[in-house]
Amino acid sequence: MLTLRPLPSALAAALCSLLALPPSRADDTLMQRVLIDGSRASQLGIADAAGDGSVTQQQLAARTTYRPGELLEATPGLIVSQHSGEGKANQFYLRGFNLDHGTDLRTTVDGMPVNQRSHAHGQGWTDLNFLIPELAARLDYKKGPYSAEEGDFASAGAASIVYANRLVRGVASASVGQNGYRRALLADSVNVNPERSGALLYALEAMHNDGPYTRGDDYRKLNGVLRYTEGYANNGFSVTAMAYQADWNATDQIPLRAVRQGLLGRYDGIDSTDGGKAHRYSLSGTWQRSGEDSATKVNAYLIANRLDLYSNFTYFMDDPVNGDQFAQPDRRVTSGVDASHAWHAHIGAASSVTTAGLQLQNDNIFNGLYKTVARQAVAATRADHIVESSLGLYVENSTRWSPVLRTTAGLRADGYRFDVRPALPGGASALAHPAARASDRLLSPSLSAVFGPWAQTEFYANAGSGFHSNDARGAVAAAAAAADGASAPLVRSRGLELGVRSEWVPRLQSSLSVYRLDFDSELSYVGDAGATEAGDPSRRYGVEFSNYYKPFKWLSVDADIAFARARSRGAQARAAGAAYIPGAVEGVAQLALTVDKLGPWSGALRLRYFGPRPLTEDNSVRSRASQTLNGRIGYRFAGGLQLELEAFNLANRRVSAIDYYYASQLKGETQPVEDVHFHPIESRAFRLMLTQSF
């Protein structure tokens, strides 16, 4: 039997008309049935480390996000930025890392990997623009290599976004804002098989945004989700189809000297043809069965990604006549299966859960690097067909030995195969590099101990080993060049951490952790140059302090602060006084006030501090710190109608979203100039959103 809830005709008409211009995000209408309170869920007795946590849908909905990827900033200590057009993957910073576009931050949505291996532009490319925030039922995060379940890219952290299976109420929202911002969303779930608890969820999103740039981004996005669910979370299955496509212009980073000389404004660009287009189509399924003493879960996925990216970071340094624009096309099909089985056991007063898991992934990739003029290819640097396959096996045991002691011990084994062959459009194999293969294997143990609770306080000790995979092109090149055939396709990391979590003070949740994370010497494939570079080993020390306080039912306060020290461990770099790691974040903080259920009113203010970073190995050039203030205020009318105003960069700070230091050459300059290149934070902007729940 099909059950539908009617959509008011007037709002439906308005929504349809706005789809042509598109709108922002509805804030609190889509929830899993179990999420009934805005308080942060207690992690006492659940988390294995002080840096682990979970954020509910209501907390996620209360955040003011300029772009979908910023939803990950709900993870304390994580910064999400952008240095190009809106359709490009975000830049991430966490625990002393400039994570580039996702390396060392494992990100999944509904169990599907978002990181893309051996990507044309950057290893671990993490494009979250397909994310629909209103569907996010929960964000789970971990930090450090202490979980056997998390494999590639998870050394700094892992973030898992879980979509809702059913929506408590349908939602139709329309948003308008400055700088050409338009967005529309329609989402609901319908009962299609009540006898078997079957439900069909659908969501359709359309958006347009120009940004404050002289040449607008003209970012156009269409996004959809269709999911059938039967049963419940622990005993049921779901099948999900997702589709996303977008195209955009890009105002990339610009040299500071040009702005100071009055040659460029802060929101000007140099190459007006930079930009890109992308699509992502996926089909996934999850099956779960649970009994009294066991639980089984199987997740399978098939993802088709395509990106055409056009960039120009050095302007006229290599080609003074036509410019230095280059293209990085990447198309791939990623398939995989994750399966796990858990056994519950009781031995005397102790209880334990042992989980064994298997993770298979295969990437069939075609990508390359081309010299272009106004997006037209004029020469090929390289083009490749890459087949990258991996198998991960893990076993993890969690045992509660007594009311005040529990441990988690895990062992993970990974095997990778890389096959790289030259390929040009049309099937020609005219590029110079030969076909090559490489493989690597790695064992990663981990151990965590939790003591307590005493007075609502737990203490944590964690040690573990993790890794990230290198780009296949760099891996096979290193294997071919090594005299003994050795290479480092998989780069080991080692972490140590001590932490404490307390809820002793009523209505206050606090966690404190200190950590050390080491990376072995690694290879780095530089997609912008089509070359492989060797990197020194590195070490990071850090401390994180996170607080969540709910003094009243209608008010919550978030206060997080993190500091990190990142240095190269290479002997030559230390001897030369060049042990700093460019872009490594040193300090971040946020302070947020959230008001909810204050009669019909709701709102939030969030202050974010993004600390300075070294831009050179000798620390002679540094970026400046930045502070931004975002906010929102909403009013709920009778009948499920809500009006909300969002504000970004309320103080209109003229600061950078990101900074780099390298050589470039402007038209008219006779030689390259080393300079700071920056991408500005967007100017103050307002967005108005109307949401109807039904």
Side-chain angles (χ1 to χ4, degrees), residues 511-530:
S511 64
L512 174 69
S513 60
V514 293
Y515 63 88
R516 189 186 84 180
L517 183 61
D518 293 348
F519 260 103
D520 288 352
S521 179
E522 59 190 89
L523 302 170
S524 176
Y525 180 82
V526 184
D528 297 350

Side-chain angles (χ1 to χ4, degrees), residues 539-602:
R539 172 166 293 171
R540 288 165 173 83
Y541 294 101
V543 57
E544 294 179 331
F545 186 38
S546 176
N547 299 274
Y548 176 81
Y549 183 49
K550 196 170 180 65
F552 308 104
K553 186 175 182 179
W554 52 270
L555 175 66
S556 61
V557 181
D558 290 89
D560 305 317
I561 189 168
F563 293 99
R565 180 184 185 273
R567 295 291 188 273
S568 167
R569 290 188 290 134
Q572 291 184 348
R574 294 199 307 270
Y580 287 82
I581 300 175
V585 62
E586 295 177 344
V588 301
Q590 72 164 349
L591 175 64
L593 304 177
T594 303
V595 174
D596 193 20
K597 299 177 182 177
L598 189 60
W601 293 97
S602 64

Side-chain angles (χ1 to χ4, degrees), residues 24-163:
S24 183
R25 66 181 190 80
D27 268 311
D28 58 357
T29 55
L30 304 184
M31 299 187 296
Q32 292 280 49
R33 297 185 187 278
V34 296
L35 300 180
I36 58 175
D37 188 83
S39 299
R40 180 179 293 178
S42 173
Q43 296 296 304
L44 291 176
I46 300 173
D48 294 324
D52 296 355
S54 185
V55 185
T56 67
Q57 189 277 338
Q58 191 166 342
Q59 289 176 280
L60 293 174
R63 303 186 66 84
T64 303
T65 55
Y66 188 88
R67 49 184 65 91
E70 291 180 4
L71 206 66
L72 265 60
E73 287 193 349
T75 302
L78 176 62
I79 292 290
V80 179
S81 188
Q82 180 58 278
H83 75 101
S84 188
E86 284 303 310
K88 192 173 182 179
N90 295 122
Q91 201 93 4
F92 301 92
Y93 296 83
L94 177 69
R95 287 201 161 187
F97 284 87
N98 174 357
L99 296 164
D100 194 48
H101 296 289
T103 309
D104 299 312
L105 176 64
R106 177 176 170 82
T107 306
T108 60
V109 173
D110 268 355
M112 291 183 289
V114 181
N115 304 79
Q116 296 178 36
R117 311 187 293 198
S118 302
H119 191 269
H121 184 72
Q123 177 70 339
W125 175 267
T126 302
D127 183 356
L128 283 165
N129 287 296
F130 72 94
L131 185 66
I132 300 178
E134 291 87 348
L135 298 186
R138 194 176 73 250
L139 168 65
D140 299 323
Y141 59 86
K142 302 175 183 177
K143 299 175 190 174
Y146 313 123
S147 171
E149 181 183 4
E150 310 295 344
D152 202 359
F153 305 121
S155 293
S160 171
I161 295 173
V162 180
Y163 270 6

